[in-house]
Amino acid sequence: NDIRIGIYGKGGIGKSVTAANLSAAFSELGLKVLQIGCDPKSDSTRNVVGRRIPTVLGVLRERGYTQEYELDDFVFKGFGGVTCVEAGGPEPGVGCAGRGILTMVETLEKLGLFEEEWDVTIYDVLGDVVCGGFAVPIREGYARTIYIVTSGEFMPLYAANNIGIGIARFGERGGARLGGIIHNARGAKDDAGVVSEFAERVGCTVIGDIPRSDLILKAETEMKTVIEAYPESDIAACFMDLAAQILENKDGVIPRMLSDEEIEELGKKI
Amino acid sequence: NDIRIGIYGKGGIGKSVTAANLSAAFSELGLKVLQIGCDPKSDSTRNVVGRRIPTVLGVLRERGYTQEYELDDFVFKGFGGVTCVEAGGPEPGVGCAGRGILTMVETLEKLGLFEEEWDVTIYDVLGDVVCGGFAVPIREGYARTIYIVTSGEFMPLYAANNIGIGIARFGERGGARLGGIIHNARGAKDDAGVVSEFAERVGCTVIGDIPRSDLILKAETEMKTVIEAYPESDIAACFMDLAAQILENKDGVIPRMLSDEEIEELGKKI
Ligand SMILES: Nc1ncnc2c1ncn2[C@@H]1O[C@H](COP(=O)(O)OP(=O)(O)O)[C@@H](O)[C@H]1O
Ligand SMILES: Nc1ncnc2c1ncn2[C@@H]1O[C@H](COP(=O)(O)OP(=O)(O)O)[C@@H](O)[C@H]1O
Ligand code: SF4
Ligand SMILES: [Mg+2]
Ligand SMILES: [Mg+2]
């Protein structure tokens, strides 16, 4: 299948919840899944593996950059056989925050991880800034299709717009395209209409609506996805649907993002 | 006086509300204030000047990097005579997101802005990543004392911890010190106790508590601070107090920040 997706969005918006549950959902559909955490917070795969795994950057820092390594040093299996990697990040203030991603793709390329026959590869990437290592999955085409997670609040939409600007910049030169918006209604003050309008104006659709769910938080305390912990629940069904939508989605676009004035106008409607 | 402070924190946490209202408060105390916006969102000074001012990077991009410029091309006066500058940022994906800050300090140094006799200089800086240009106010000592804005929620505290790690790294080699935590209770689910515990464990105090206030939002729609729009209000008094606290605060510390495990433990208490 070789479907390669990137999940981007503002910090705390729900990328890792989305990525981990999508990985679990894809594995339930019998697919071979690789999930790659690209946030220095390095907790993307925690609820798939059931614990925090060592990060690529962490292993290299601790055991040395010039050691002989194998894939097993960096790659761990979790629920449903999903294969998991975390890039990690440098100490704050030490060079580029996205450096972990650059180091990781280099390391995994050498060890042949990308040559294996993955049905789905999911990159879970910090989206507060779209530069340095964080732009790599978009720019270098590691991800073919980007899904931006947002709520109907101004700051996440502003971040979503910036991510789209990055996609529009790289998309034509072999970079990724925008597959759609994932609406994650995290809290009380959420305007779904504004999210739909945003998607429409940039030229894509809202491919999924994730409601606020206490089961997500409950499963999180058990270090599980809802697919694993509450497979019969509505929220699990929601992620299974989103997974199916993503598998069928052939519409990657080069989005036409909003100007500063336009995104502010949109923010006023909230 | 030459008090030089940096306001850092997660995107959307309330840095610009804090910085703008502090600038206005300091000017009410008769001080000569310079406010410098270091967030690519470039709206830090909007409520002081009453409109979005051109950014340094924006002016250079539009009119050319090698033109002859004067301070008036980049620097604008607002409420109470507060002098305002916005760094701006590059297009997402075009190099380092913090590049605007590097370009700005270079440009303003050449034009002698820092040689003027400021009583207070306030840097309002993006804190989602602590790297590249965003680390400059801390690392190069442009700011002497950093105040971190946070709420009692996990993501802002996680960002606060990362900012503190950056300060701890640079603080000893001529960089800035941590002056304290500013608690901005943005929303419903806010745990003030956790903010106090965080401050205590890293070795500083909560220097101010800003309650959620609709007047902040009302003043914002008029592009004003509450100091200007509602000077008799409790929230205006709150910022006047915070300004006084900051003026008296001589305790900059090199903080001892929390490890990943420790910040997660703290997060579980919320
Ligand atoms: N739909 C939702 N319902 C309830 N809680 C959610 C939802 N989406 C996210 N959360 C919670 O918000 C927090 C941040 O989510 P996370 O996926 O870690 O964000 P990110 O990876 O974007 O930084 C987590 O504690 C998560 O459980
Ligand atoms: N104490 C508060 N009460 C009400 N609204 C607030 C408060 N603090 C911040 N806000 C609102 O939150 C939004 C983000 O604040 P802002 O200062 O722009 O964040 P930052 O500069 O950290 O990105 C603004 O719309 C602001 O009016
Ligand atoms: S490129 Fe982005 S992540 Fe890297 S140093 Fe600059 S701001 Fe930080
Ligand atoms: Mg995450
Ligand atoms: Mg701001």
Side-chain angles (χ1 to χ4, degrees):
Chain A
N1 275 16
D2 197 25
I3 290 173
R4 308 199 302 261
I5 68 177
I7 306 291
Y8 274 77
K10 181 171 174 58
I13 196 60
K15 294 179 293 298
S16 298
V17 162
T18 301
N21 279 282
L22 280 176
S23 290
F26 287 130
S27 77
E28 290 289 276
L29 296 174
L31 300 172
K32 183 159 137 93
V33 186
L34 171 62
Q35 182 177 337
I36 305 183
C38 299
D39 190 316
K41 213 175 2 134
S42 58
D43 60 0
S44 171
T45 57
R46 185 172 55 180
N47 297 332
V48 178
V49 184
R51 61 188 171 93
R52 263 175 166 283
I53 60 176
T55 69
V56 173
L57 211 57
V59 170
L60 294 175
R61 263 201 306 253
E62 190 161 349
R63 293 164 47 186
Y65 282 78
T66 50
Q67 301 298 329
E68 280 290 321
Y69 288 104
E70 299 180 332
L71 273 179
D72 287 350
D73 293 313
F74 305 114
V75 163
F76 303 83
K77 281 226 196 299
F79 172 79
V82 173
T83 304
C84 297
V85 194
E86 289 286 350
E91 272 246 323
V94 182
C96 185
R99 188 157 67 77
I101 301 163
L102 292 153
T103 306
M104 172 190 63
V105 296
E106 218 177 303
T107 308
L108 299 180
E109 289 273 22
K110 281 207 219 111
L111 294 172
L113 184 68
F114 299 117
E115 263 103 78
E116 296 186 29
E117 310 230 309
W118 305 104
D119 290 315
V120 187
T121 305
I122 304 180
Y123 293 85
D124 170 355
V125 194
L126 177 150
D128 301 287
V129 291
V130 192
C131 47
F134 304 117
V136 159
I138 298 174
R139 196 180 59 224
E140 310 297 328
Y142 284 97
R144 270 214 208 85
T145 311
I146 305 299
Y147 293 94
I148 304 175
V149 182
T150 186
S151 62
E153 299 166 282
F154 179 70
M155 293 296 316
L157 283 167
Y158 180 84
N161 197 53
N162 278 351
I163 294 157
I165 291 172
I167 296 169
R169 169 164 299 277
F170 300 127
E172 266 151 350
R173 296 180 253 149
R177 307 222 157 189
L178 180 59
I181 304 296
I182 296 172
H183 177 217
N184 187 17
R186 263 185 325 171
K189 287 188 104 263
D190 187 281
D191 190 331
V194 160
V195 178
S196 303
E197 181 178 345
F198 175 76
E200 188 174 345
R201 283 170 70 174
V202 309
C204 69
T205 61
V206 178
I207 192 168
D209 264 289
I210 305 167
R212 174 157 189 80
S213 162
D214 288 341
L215 290 185
I216 289 178
L217 296 159
K218 269 191 97 203
E220 204 168 64
T221 59
E222 303 166 46
M223 294 210 187
K224 290 180 183 169
T225 59
V226 294
I227 303 289
E228 177 174 11
Y230 306 105
E232 303 305 314
S233 62
D234 288 345
I235 189 71
C238 177
F239 284 113
M240 295 301 303
D241 282 347
L242 179 57
Q245 291 296 322
I246 287 175
L247 288 177
E248 294 174 29
N249 183 25
K250 304 280 172 274
D251 314 332
V253 299
I254 307 265
R256 47 173 188 271
M257 301 316 292
L258 308 184
S259 69
D260 271 348
E261 292 73 24
E262 289 176 309
I263 193 80
E264 292 219 19
E265 279 308 302
L266 199 66
K268 292 202 178 110
K269 300 186 180 186
I270 298 175
Chain B
N1 276 15
D2 198 24
I3 290 173
R4 307 200 303 263
I5 70 178
I7 307 290
Y8 274 82
K10 181 169 174 59
I13 196 59
K15 293 178 294 298
S16 297
V17 162
T18 302
N21 279 283
L22 281 175
S23 290
F26 288 129
S27 77
E28 290 289 277
L29 297 173
L31 301 172
K32 183 163 138 93
V33 186
L34 171 62
Q35 181 177 338
I36 305 182
C38 299
D39 190 317
K41 210 170 12 128
S42 57
D43 60 4
S44 172
T45 56
R46 184 172 55 180
N47 296 332
V48 178
V49 183
R51 63 189 170 92
R52 263 174 165 282
I53 59 177
T55 69
V56 172
L57 210 56
V59 170
L60 294 174
R61 263 199 309 250
E62 190 161 350
R63 293 164 45 186
Y65 282 78
T66 51
Q67 300 298 328
E68 281 289 323
Y69 287 105
E70 301 182 331
L71 273 178
D72 287 350
D73 293 312
F74 304 114
V75 164
F76 303 83
K77 281 221 190 309
F79 173 78
V82 173
T83 304
C84 297
V85 193
E86 289 286 349
E91 272 247 320
V94 182
C96 184
R99 187 158 66 79
I101 301 164
L102 292 153
T103 306
M104 172 189 63
V105 296
E106 217 177 308
T107 307
L108 299 179
E109 290 273 20
K110 280 207 221 110
L111 294 171
L113 185 68
F114 298 118
E115 264 105 78
E116 295 186 28
E117 311 230 312
W118 305 102
D119 290 315
V120 188
T121 305
I122 304 181
Y123 292 85
D124 171 356
V125 193
L126 177 148
D128 302 288
V129 291
V130 192
C131 49
F134 304 118
V136 159
I138 299 174
R139 195 181 60 224
E140 310 297 330
Y142 284 97
R144 269 212 208 90
T145 311
I146 305 300
Y147 293 94
I148 303 175
V149 182
T150 186
S151 62
E153 299 165 282
F154 180 70
M155 293 295 316
L157 283 166
Y158 181 85
N161 197 53
N162 278 351
I163 294 157
I165 292 173
I167 296 168
R169 170 164 297 278
F170 300 128
E172 267 151 348
R173 297 180 254 147
R177 307 221 155 189
L178 179 60
I181 303 296
I182 297 171
H183 176 218
N184 187 17
R186 262 185 323 172
K189 287 187 102 270
D190 187 280
D191 189 331
V194 160
V195 178
S196 304
E197 179 176 348
F198 175 76
E200 187 173 344
R201 284 171 70 174
V202 310
C204 70
T205 61
V206 179
I207 193 169
D209 265 288
I210 306 167
R212 173 156 190 81
S213 161
D214 288 341
L215 290 185
I216 289 179
L217 296 160
K218 268 191 98 205
E220 204 167 65
T221 59
E222 302 165 49
M223 294 207 188
K224 289 180 183 170
T225 60
V226 296
I227 303 288
E228 177 174 11
Y230 306 106
E232 304 304 315
S233 62
D234 289 345
I235 189 69
C238 177
F239 284 113
M240 295 301 304
D241 283 348
L242 180 58
Q245 291 296 324
I246 287 173
L247 287 177
E248 293 174 31
N249 184 24
K250 304 275 171 276
D251 312 333
V253 300
I254 307 266
R256 50 176 184 269
M257 302 315 291
L258 309 184
S259 70
D260 270 348
E261 292 71 23
E262 288 175 311
I263 193 80
E264 293 221 18
E265 279 310 299
L266 198 66
K268 292 203 177 104
K269 300 187 179 187
I270 297 175

